[in-house]
């Protein structure tokens, strides 16, 4: 297939998707994986993603809380999402720092897939996995 025809096909597909996106109200989400779960967080709560930092363990906290890491000069609790969802620790390759009420929390996850836009109507059909978790953190 000639390169200019391939580019044209890609451009045509891109324009169709763009038109669909303009006609449909969408919301941006950060997609990531932890164990068998494919998860999505509204991007408005995500402050940053990063490689894992050293974790200082603390006692007397639930198992899902691995400890504290110093992020941007502040101690931030690290929540292993695998333990929280399934009771099993995940191999952490990324932290997702989120705003949870007035606090910040870093979620330890296996991998980040990327930023995706989901139609708002579709989101109403999907149940929340953790509900209003920010009320409990």
């Amino acid at each position: 297939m000639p390169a200019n025809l391939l580019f044209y096909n890609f451009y045509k597909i891109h324009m169709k998707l763009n038109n669909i996106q303009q006609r449909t109200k969408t919301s941006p989400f950060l997609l990531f994986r932890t164990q068998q779960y494919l998860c999505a967080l509204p991007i408005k709560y995500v402050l940053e993603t990063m490689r894992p930092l050293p974790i200082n363990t603390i006692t007397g906290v639930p198992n899902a809380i691995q400890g504290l890491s110093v992020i941007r000069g502040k101690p931030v609790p690290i929540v292993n999402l695998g333990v929280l969802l399934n009771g099993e620790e995940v191999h952490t390759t990324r932290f997702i720092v989120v705003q949870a009420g007035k606090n910040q929390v870093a979620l330890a996850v296996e991998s980040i897939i990327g930023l995706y836009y989901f139609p708002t109507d579709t989101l109403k059909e999907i149940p929340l996995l953790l509900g209003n978790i920010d009320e409990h953190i």
Side-chain angles (χ1 to χ4, degrees):
M1 179 179 289
N4 58 353
L5 184 58
L6 184 61
F7 175 75
Y8 174 75
N9 288 341
F10 174 76
Y11 179 75
K12 195 173 177 181
I13 291 168
H14 173 72
M15 292 308 292
K16 282 183 181 180
L17 290 174
N18 202 19
N19 287 337
I20 291 169
Q21 206 171 40
Q22 288 175 358
R23 287 181 297 195
T24 308
K25 187 171 180 179
T26 59
S27 298
F29 282 79
L30 181 69
L31 233 60
F32 60 94
R33 183 173 299 283
T34 189
Q35 294 174 340
Q36 74 268 25
Y37 298 101
L38 181 61
C39 305
L41 276 172
I43 200 70
K44 66 182 180 181
Y45 297 115
V46 177
L47 300 174
E48 66 181 306
T49 63
M50 62 180 62
R51 292 185 186 125
L53 298 172
I55 300 173
N56 299 311
T57 57
I58 50 178
T59 58
V61 295
N63 290 341
I65 300 175
Q66 288 184 302
L68 298 172
S69 280
V70 178
I71 299 175
R72 308 246 179 255
K74 295 180 185 177
V76 175
I78 308 299
V79 176
N80 189 300
L81 208 51
V83 175
L84 186 65
L85 296 175
N86 201 25
E88 297 177 17
E89 195 166 320
V90 298
H91 172 68
T92 302
T93 64
R94 302 302 275 174
F95 282 172
I96 302 173
V97 183
V98 297
Q99 191 70 41
K102 295 179 181 177
N103 303 313
Q104 292 181 7
V105 175
L107 303 175
V109 301
E110 282 184 66
S111 62
I112 294 175
I113 297 167
L115 181 66
Y116 284 84
Y117 289 83
F118 292 106
T120 307
D121 295 342
T122 305
L123 297 173
K124 293 175 185 174
E125 301 169 11
I126 302 171
L128 295 174
L129 187 59
L130 296 176
N132 294 326
I133 192 73
D134 61 338
E135 296 174 1
H136 306 287
I137 297 178

